[in-house]
Amino acid sequence: FKEAGVSEIVTQLKGHAPDVELPDKIDMLFLDATKMEYLSYIQTYMKLMQPGRYIVADNAISHADELGDYRSFVFTSPKLESRLAELGTGLFVSKIVA
């Protein structure tokens, strides 16, 4: 983030996501961690996000089996509009709508 010049506006949460100190708000969330825990991450962090904000989850295609529960959640939640972007290893892109 420093090399890209965005370290002043990007906060990287390090550690086991459910155990880290949460910021007051999240404008955009990018998940690239333990795949089987993505569901608990989104359920924890989307509570801090206002409508119009985005959640992007990496490895949607390459780890499809491990992300089955996550996929089901993002495509059935009435609080999200989600798409699969077939870029690289795949991305689930979800917009908070409610």
Side-chain angles (χ1 to χ4, degrees):
F1 296 123
K2 187 175 182 179
E3 285 181 32
V6 296
S7 60
E8 297 297 318
I9 60 170
V10 173
T11 301
Q12 183 177 10
L13 302 177
K14 296 180 182 179
H16 184 64
D19 298 331
V20 300
E21 184 176 336
L22 298 177
D24 293 333
K25 69 175 186 162
I26 297 173
D27 294 321
M28 189 271 201
L29 178 65
F30 180 76
L31 298 175
D32 187 15
T34 305
K35 307 312 176 226
M36 294 185 308
E37 295 181 350
Y38 276 21
L39 182 58
S40 66
Y41 299 159
I42 193 172
Q43 290 171 331
T44 298
Y45 295 132
M46 71 184 279
K47 296 173 190 174
L48 302 172
M49 300 177 77
Q50 299 296 315
R53 306 304 191 228
Y54 286 87
I55 300 167
V56 178
D58 196 20
N59 304 118
I61 296 170
S62 64
H63 292 74
D65 291 341
E66 294 169 273
L67 294 176
D69 290 340
Y70 181 89
R71 179 189 183 100
S72 294
F73 179 81
V74 298
F75 282 103
T76 60
S77 173
K79 296 182 177 191
L80 299 170
E81 287 180 1
S82 299
R83 304 283 184 270
L84 171 62
E86 295 184 14
L87 302 168
T89 58
L91 299 170
F92 288 122
V93 180
S94 302
K95 180 180 179 182
I96 308 280
V97 294

